[in-house]
Amino acid sequence: MTILVTGARGHVGAAVLDGLLAAGATVRASSRTPRPGEFPRGAEVVRADLADPSTFPEALADVRTVFLYAHPATATEFAAAARKAGVEHVVLLSSGSVLAADAATNPIAAQHRAAERALDDAGLGRTFVRPGYFATNALRWRSIRTDRVLRTAFPDAITAPVHERDIAAVAVHALLDDPRNAAYPVLGAGPVTIRDQVAAIAEALGEPVRLAEIDVDTYRADLLTQLPAPVVDRLLQTGGSVPQLPAEVAVDAVPGLLGRPALTFADWARDHAADFR
């Protein structure tokens, strides 16, 4: 059985690919522009651009299971192509935002709900992996790399960052061992403040990193160079915090599925220290 991994060059996709290969699975890695030697040995490589449905049939040929990034603009076309190819199970990288109280007005939730709905409407076996706030968002803090400083209006804002290795491990479990039509929140260890995250990066680097508080207007202008305006506005409305989902809505799947606690932001910082050097 061949498993297609879309977005295999991304942080989560690459970790999913590694996990599947370590388990001895037959894996086809895809990206929009695959280059020779960029994927581990043992993986078949194919071009698949989720924005270009003409690439779907070749990528899906002889595939029975798919790890899929959410791309709502072509989600219906992908689901139809997967069904036609005989795909039996799609593990979708969705978002915990679909479970939040404000999901109906949250643009991120709307995109992921559309991708989930496309799979359900097509009648495909599916599993939804719904992570919370990605720890990799900290890679936007380029000033730590260049100046050893983070400028923010909200140094004590809280998030519960999710390590991409936890997301990938849950996805690999779903791809290899899971009954279909499940949904798994992956919520991360926390909450932890931005101040504490900067301290964790400094410890991982073995160098001091300064935290500088700036005014909201300056911070907004900086965020707009990296994020869409609706996302920036929502972040400012919450004072920079991304609240955890209450237990009655979602329970982190990591301890139950993987038999260990969620990885911490300090774990993530150590794994990504080179990205800040």
Side-chain angles (χ1 to χ4, degrees):
M1 179 186 74
T2 298
I3 301 173
L4 173 66
V5 177
T6 68
R9 195 184 293 161
H11 289 289
V12 177
V16 169
L17 180 61
D18 288 344
L20 291 172
L21 289 172
T26 302
V27 187
R28 181 178 296 166
S30 75
S31 73
R32 286 177 294 182
T33 53
R35 296 185 294 267
E38 71 175 325
F39 294 120
R41 292 180 63 184
E44 180 188 353
V45 180
V46 67
R47 178 175 180 263
D49 183 349
L50 293 179
D52 181 1
S54 70
T55 67
F56 298 166
E58 180 180 356
L60 289 165
D62 301 317
V63 165
R64 290 295 172 265
T65 308
V66 179
F67 173 73
L68 179 66
Y69 276 77
H71 193 84
T74 60
T76 298
E77 289 88 342
F78 188 91
R83 187 174 178 85
K84 184 176 181 180
V87 169
E88 297 172 354
H89 187 196
V90 177
V91 175
L92 177 71
L93 180 58
S94 184
S95 168
S97 63
V98 304
L99 301 171
D102 66 349
T105 59
N106 185 324
I108 295 174
Q111 293 177 3
H112 288 88
R113 274 183 158 182
E116 290 187 357
R117 189 164 51 249
L119 296 178
D120 281 338
D121 289 348
L124 287 165
R126 53 70 173 170
T127 298
F128 300 147
V129 178
R130 293 169 168 166
Y133 186 81
F134 279 44
T136 50
N137 285 319
L139 296 174
R140 297 198 309 264
W141 298 345
R142 294 187 293 267
S143 59
I144 293 180
R145 184 169 60 250
T146 58
D147 305 322
R148 291 293 184 261
V149 61
L150 177 68
R151 301 174 182 87
T152 178
F154 307 113
D156 295 306
I158 60 169
T159 62
V162 183
H163 198 309
E164 67 272 13
R165 286 202 282 121
D166 279 348
I167 303 168
V170 170
V172 168
H173 171 89
L175 290 161
L176 296 178
D177 304 316
D178 213 46
R180 295 159 203 167
N181 302 322
Y184 293 127
V186 186
L187 303 181
V192 60
T193 66
I194 300 300
R195 190 184 303 277
D196 288 339
Q197 291 175 50
V198 171
I201 292 171
E203 182 175 355
L205 287 170
E207 301 177 32
V209 177
R210 185 167 60 90
L211 195 150
E213 190 166 353
I214 58 177
D215 65 85
V216 173
D217 288 341
T218 301
Y219 186 53
R220 183 176 190 277
D222 181 55
L223 288 178
L224 285 171
T225 66
Q226 307 169 55
L227 297 169
V231 176
V232 171
D233 290 340
R234 292 185 72 87
L235 194 60
L236 297 182
Q237 288 168 11
T238 62
S241 292
V242 180
Q244 289 181 294
L245 293 168
E248 60 268 23
V249 173
V251 176
D252 190 10
V254 168
L257 291 183
L258 306 183
R260 60 165 175 78
L263 296 169
T264 66
F265 187 82
D267 294 322
W268 182 89
R270 285 189 290 270
D271 287 346
H272 286 270
D275 292 316
F276 293 99
R277 295 197 188 281

